[in-house]
Amino acid sequence: ADPPILGLGGYLAFETDELSEITCNTVFPGVSCIPRTKAPIFPEQLRSHRLHELLEETSRTYGVVLIDTPPIEPYADAEYLAEQADAVVLVVRSRAHSWRRERRAYRRLVDAGTQVVCAVLTDVHPLYSRLQAQTTARS
């Protein structure tokens, strides 16, 4: 059997220096991922030189690198990782939080010097999709 994937936590804990030992292929050709796995990841590791080097290496290896983070509030992970990213796509779950909270999250990213290129609204109720389709069809 294949050895277990160490993932990001294993890499940040210096269990390996090899990108091949922390990545796994997906069902999509040419798309790989670095799973979080069970090793804990501490906030200071997200600002580490080691993570910066990993992001540099993955940028040279892959055409596009996407980083999925926990929500901006109450965690700092997204802000720390955004500091090292070229741009951020803010994902907002419909009806999950107030617009005030989402604006605060956006403001935290912008104040940290991050380029927020767009926001994506997810989990939109189908009723709104049908209303939008009817409105567009009448125009």
Side-chain angles (χ1 to χ4, degrees):
D2 292 331
I5 299 295
L6 295 173
L8 182 59
Y11 180 84
L12 293 175
F14 293 92
E15 293 177 27
T16 185
D17 290 327
E18 298 298 321
L19 188 59
S20 62
E21 292 181 15
I22 64 170
T23 58
C24 58
N25 293 323
T26 68
V27 296
F28 304 103
V31 177
S32 300
C33 75
I34 300 175
R36 181 177 172 275
T37 66
K38 293 181 182 178
I41 299 172
F42 301 100
E44 60 272 8
Q45 291 174 309
L46 299 176
R47 285 192 155 157
S48 70
H49 184 68
R50 185 154 176 85
L51 180 64
H52 180 74
E53 288 177 341
L54 175 63
L55 293 173
E56 289 288 323
E57 183 178 355
T58 56
S59 294
R60 287 190 300 272
T61 305
Y62 299 97
V64 176
V65 177
L66 300 174
I67 304 169
D68 183 25
T69 68
I72 295 172
E73 290 187 356
Y75 307 103
D77 300 26
E79 283 178 89
Y80 294 161
L81 290 166
E83 291 171 356
Q84 300 183 61
D86 294 328
V88 169
V89 173
L90 186 62
V91 179
V92 178
R93 182 179 221 164
S94 178
R95 303 176 321 276
H97 303 288
S98 71
W99 280 108
R100 246 187 220 136
R101 181 176 175 176
E102 301 305 336
R103 269 194 301 256
R104 268 195 322 267
Y106 170 80
R107 201 72 252 154
R108 281 175 61 183
L109 290 170
V110 170
D111 290 347
T114 303
Q115 180 183 3
V116 180
V117 293
C118 70
V120 176
L121 185 62
T122 65
D123 200 23
V124 176
H125 192 281
L127 172 67
Y128 298 112
S129 298
R130 284 195 299 273
L131 288 175
Q132 179 60 37
Q134 290 171 357
T135 305
T136 306
R138 289 183 202 153
S139 305

